[in-house]
């Protein structure tokens, strides 16, 4: 387990949402989109599914939740903050505190 220089904050709304869905895994993946003729940029995606390749993630325990944070996530804030954003079709979990690369 790495010595992490940041804290993780999971909003209660996220914890309630996870409880309702009976999920205890929170996975943060970073993927690149675009390319070819378009600029590439990184996007962060939060899911409630345990990742297949555990070696690509740092694993933490917090609030009865197992957090899988992608090793290529660059955390620039002192706190990695997970929050729930409600939308028309339900809700998505978003994260603040990351640096995402954008290449033109």
């Amino acid at each position: 387990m790495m010595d992490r220089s940041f804290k993780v904050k999971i909003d209660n709304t996220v914890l309630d949402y996870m409880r309702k869905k009976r999920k205890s895994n929170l996975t943060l993946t970073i993927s690149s989109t675009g390319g070819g003729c378009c600029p590439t940029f990184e996007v962060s995606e939060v899911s409630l599914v345990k990742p297949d390749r555990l070696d690509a993630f740092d694993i933490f325990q917090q609030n009865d939740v197992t957090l899988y944070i992608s090793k290529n996530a660059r955390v620039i804030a002192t706190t990695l903050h997970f929050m729930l954003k409600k939308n028309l079709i339900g809700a998505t979990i978003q994260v603040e505190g990351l640096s995402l690369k954008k290449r033109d």
Side-chain angles (χ1 to χ4, degrees):
M1 187 113 18
M2 69 170 202
D3 170 39
R4 57 179 168 157
S5 53
F6 58 92
K7 294 199 286 292
V8 173
K9 179 180 192 299
I10 306 171
D11 283 358
N12 283 330
T13 48
V14 174
L15 296 169
D16 291 342
Y17 175 76
M18 291 178 69
R19 252 178 240 122
K20 277 191 196 111
K21 294 193 166 290
R22 292 186 162 72
K23 300 285 188 187
S24 61
N25 295 319
L26 196 56
T27 299
L28 171 65
T29 46
I30 308 291
S31 52
S32 293
T33 65
C37 60
C38 313
T40 60
F41 54 96
E42 289 180 333
V43 289
S44 64
E45 191 183 354
V46 180
S47 68
L48 301 178
V49 182
K50 183 177 174 177
D52 295 331
R53 291 190 45 238
L54 292 181
D55 58 323
F57 293 84
D58 290 310
I59 303 170
F60 309 110
Q61 288 286 336
Q62 185 161 326
N63 305 88
D64 300 325
V65 170
T66 306
L67 278 160
Y68 300 93
I69 309 282
S70 173
K71 285 184 177 165
N72 60 2
R74 283 179 308 285
V75 179
I76 52 167
T78 51
T79 303
L80 193 60
H81 183 191
F82 290 88
M83 63 201 91
L84 197 67
K85 290 270 195 279
K86 295 220 168 19
N87 54 39
L88 292 171
I89 52 165
T92 54
I93 299 170
Q94 299 193 329
V95 65
E96 263 181 10
L98 289 172
S99 162
L100 297 171
K101 267 196 289 221
K102 193 169 184 178
R103 293 189 275 299
D104 298 319

